[in-house]
Structure formats: C-alpha cells, structure tokens
C-alpha cells in the first residue's frame, strides 16, 4: 500500500521495519504524526489556557528548530541522518504542533 507523497515520501531505507518490512510512514513522519496526536491530547488535559500565544510561538520555534535543521541539512546533502534522530526530531516537533493545533482550534476557530 502506498500513501500520497504529501503525507510521506515512504523511502524504505528511512522507515522503521516490522517483521523486516518497512512501515508505511518514514521514521520522521511516524514520530511527527503520532506526537501531534499525543500533544493534542496533552493540551486537552492540561487546558489551552496554560499557554499564551507568545509562549507557544517561542516554544514552537525552539522545539521545531532541530526538526528543520535535520531535514534541511540532510536534503541539501550536508550530512546523513539516521532513523532514530529522524524519529526524535519528528516527535518533538509533533508534540508542540499538537499543542499549537489545539490552541488554534480553541481560540481562533
């Protein structure tokens, strides 16, 4: 089964393997999507009023920076990343983006 490319590129060498078969999502996308869900649930539990917009902007920039650095430097060929690092950077970015998503839905929509 193939997913649309806008969801994930699905390069087998960048996917975690289960029973020696690559997952549908690469390790970075898996961490990102899974932790968006976790971050959204976390934000529901603690309440979006725990954050203000300035805090969220600062946290989002700081926490997503490694994600973008890892992605861009790998894309430009400066270095090679590994699946563990891809998963970790995707997870941190997903966590804060899940919190951001809940905040946006509560206060702006």
């Amino acid at each position: 089964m193939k997913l649309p490319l806008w969801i994930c590129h699905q390069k087998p060498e960048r996917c975690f393997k289960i029973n020696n078969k690559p997952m549908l999502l690469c390790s970075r996308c898996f961490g990102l999507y899974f932790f968006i869900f976790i971050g959204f649930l976390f934000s529901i539990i603690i309440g979006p009023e725990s954050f203000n917009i300035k805090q969220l902007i600062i946290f989002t920039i700081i926490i997503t920076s490694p994600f973008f650095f890892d992605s861009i430097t790998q894309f430009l060929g400066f270095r090679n990343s590994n699946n563990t690092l891809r998963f970790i950077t995707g997870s941190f970015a997903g966590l804060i983006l899940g919190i951001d998503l809940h905040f946006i839905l509560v206060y702006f929509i």
Side-chain angles (χ1 to χ4, degrees):
M1 180 175 160
K2 292 291 268 181
L3 296 173
L5 286 178
W6 57 270
I7 293 176
C8 180
H9 58 68
Q10 303 172 50
K11 292 181 180 177
E13 66 275 8
R14 294 186 184 171
C15 298
F16 289 127
K17 294 185 177 35
I18 299 175
N19 292 331
N20 216 21
K21 293 183 181 180
M23 293 175 59
L24 286 178
L25 294 171
C26 73
S27 54
R28 183 177 290 134
C29 291
F30 176 69
L32 181 72
Y33 295 139
F34 181 74
F35 278 90
I36 284 174
F37 177 71
I38 298 297
F40 191 85
L41 290 179
F42 175 75
S43 183
I44 289 171
I45 292 167
I46 66 165
E49 63 279 351
S50 300
F51 302 101
N52 66 47
I53 190 88
K54 288 181 184 178
Q55 287 175 322
L56 276 180
I57 290 170
I58 292 167
F59 287 154
T60 301
I61 290 169
I62 291 169
I63 293 174
T64 59
S65 293
F67 174 88
F68 289 112
F69 180 79
D70 184 45
S71 302
I72 291 169
T73 56
Q74 181 178 343
F75 177 76
L76 295 175
F78 295 143
R79 60 182 201 70
N80 284 323
S81 189
N82 60 52
N83 286 343
T84 303
L85 183 58
R86 288 184 195 106
F87 177 75
I88 291 169
T89 59
S91 298
F92 280 118
L95 187 65
I96 193 67
L97 293 176
I99 294 169
D100 291 347
L101 177 62
H102 184 239
F103 187 88
I104 290 166
L105 290 174
V106 168
Y107 290 108
F108 296 105
I109 295 180

